[in-house]
């Protein structure tokens, strides 16, 4: 699964730590999600999308291999 988290954070000038604190996870979790090493739960995906003011589909995209 691909994601636009890094881009969305940059638009809001938000660090990984700030995003992590807003949604209740560690910075390492945000880093792993951005790197595609961890697929977030539905709840986390919804929380991130809400922070960015976007739909989940605008933040996360399925790849052909998913």
């Amino acid at each position: 699964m691909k994601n636009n988290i890094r881009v969305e954070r940059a638009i809001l000038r938000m660090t990984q730590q700030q995003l992590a604190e807003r949604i209740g996870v560690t910075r390492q979790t945000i880093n792993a999600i951005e790197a595609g090493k961890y697929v977030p739960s539905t709840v986390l995906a919804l929380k991130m999308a809400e922070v960015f003011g976007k739909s989940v589909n605008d933040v996360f995209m399925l790849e052909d291999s998913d």
Side-chain angles (χ1 to χ4, degrees), residues 2 8-9 13-14 20-24 30 33 35 37-41 49 53-55 57-58 60-61 64:
K2 296 188 304 184
E8 296 297 337
R9 280 193 310 100
R13 299 176 194 261
M14 181 181 285
E21 289 171 2
R22 292 263 315 258
I23 65 171
I30 300 300
I33 294 169
K37 295 178 180 177
Y38 176 74
V39 176
S41 68
K54 305 275 181 147
S55 73
N57 288 336
D58 289 336
F60 296 95
M61 292 76 52
D64 292 337

Side-chain angles (χ1 to χ4, degrees), residues 23-25 33 38-51 56 60:
I23 65 171
V25 297
I33 294 169
Y38 176 74
V39 176
S41 68
T42 304
V43 172
L44 282 183
L46 287 166
K47 285 181 178 182
M48 279 189 244
E50 186 176 298
V51 167
V56 172
F60 296 95

